[in-house]
Amino acid sequence: MSSSSSGNVGIVIVSHSSKIAEGAADMVRQMVGNAVPLAWTGGDTDGGLGTNVAGILEAIEAAWSTAGVAILVDLGGAETNSEMAVEMLAEDRRARVVVCNAPVVEGAVIAATESSGGSSLAAVKRSAEEFYA
């Protein structure tokens, strides 16, 4: 995981595979540098395939920005666990975190690119999801 403090929307990548999550995060970092707070989480607590709410909460914290955080997920379980993690956040933070319905790699790159330009959380989410439509 890695993060950067900035006023840009943070990006969290959640995958069932830690290698996929880390690889997608590496691609994002190479595309936008350190302009965007970025974190990733993948795999279950035993190192196998899966996701876990605690890891997602840690990633949200690592990528936290007052501008908000956009979460990109790979499969349904990642989405469900991400939504559970968002619900566990304090109310004032909950409203500033969104789960994007977008492909994890392409969506993360597009979301991070949009964020690096200073766009709002809504614009970051919209840009990531437009790719999926």
Side-chain angles (χ1 to χ4, degrees), residues 14 16 51 73-84 99 101:
V14 180
H16 282 70
T51 62
V73 299
D74 63 355
L75 299 171
E79 181 176 10
T80 300
N81 282 343
S82 293
E83 289 169 351
M84 288 173 55
V99 178
N101 184 15

Side-chain angles (χ1 to χ4, degrees), residues 1-4 11 25 29 34 36-40 59 62-63:
M1 270 188 238
S2 66
S3 70
S4 161
I11 305 295
R29 187 58 73 216
N34 292 320
V36 174
L38 174 67
W40 59 268

Side-chain angles (χ1 to χ4, degrees), residues 1-101:
M1 270 188 238
S2 66
S3 70
S4 161
S5 59
S6 77
N8 293 334
V9 171
I11 305 295
V12 169
I13 298 168
V14 180
S15 174
H16 282 70
S17 164
S18 63
K19 290 180 179 182
I20 289 174
E22 183 178 14
D26 181 58
M27 181 177 281
V28 167
R29 187 58 73 216
Q30 289 189 45
M31 299 292 283
V32 300
N34 292 320
V36 174
L38 174 67
W40 59 268
T41 183
D44 65 14
T45 55
D46 296 324
L49 292 178
T51 62
N52 68 85
V53 174
I56 296 167
L57 285 167
E58 288 176 18
I60 292 169
E61 186 62 34
W64 182 255
S65 166
T66 56
V69 173
I71 303 173
L72 286 293
V73 299
D74 63 355
L75 299 171
E79 181 176 10
T80 300
N81 282 343
S82 293
E83 289 169 351
M84 288 173 55
V86 171
E87 287 300 314
M88 295 172 76
L89 295 171
E91 190 173 342
D92 62 323
R93 285 189 167 206
R94 196 177 309 141
R96 291 189 267 167
V97 180
V98 297
V99 178
C100 300
N101 184 15

